[in-house]
Amino acid sequence: MHQPPTFEVDGTAIRKARMRGGHEISELAKAAGISRRYLCHLENGTRRRMRPSRYAALRAALNSTDDRLLAAPRTTTPEE
């Protein structure tokens, strides 16, 4: 089954950006068009992936960038 493209986000970075911007969770969720519960799950790391449209809306609501909100790429260690 084909998985739609998603963005892996950094929940801690989302929380910090929200707090820096002075947003309450409910306020930011509404501005981004997502549920408060979904935003809480992103911030606490329960959810790490977002669909492009939701991610774009959250990024815009936070007035932030991919560099700040996306999780660092995971590195794999070559097997020895």
Side-chain angles (χ1 to χ4, degrees):
M1 195 168 179
H2 182 266
Q3 293 285 51
T6 58
F7 290 92
E8 187 170 351
V9 296
D10 180 344
T12 302
I14 292 171
R15 180 181 296 115
K16 286 180 181 178
R18 176 179 61 78
M19 294 175 80
R20 246 190 333 269
H23 302 288
E24 294 292 328
I25 291 177
S26 298
E27 173 190 7
L28 178 60
K30 185 175 181 179
I34 60 178
S35 72
R36 180 187 184 285
R37 182 175 179 180
Y38 182 63
L39 180 55
C40 287
H41 284 234
L42 291 169
E43 286 190 0
N44 69 29
T46 304
R47 301 279 311 251
R48 294 186 49 87
R49 297 203 164 272
M50 297 184 76
R51 292 197 173 158
S53 59
R54 288 183 177 174
Y55 171 70
L58 179 62
R59 186 185 63 211
L62 287 169
N63 194 28
S64 195
T65 63
D66 290 343
D67 291 340
R68 291 186 177 179
L69 300 180
L70 293 179
R74 296 182 184 178
T75 57
T76 56
T77 307
E79 294 184 32
E80 298 179 306

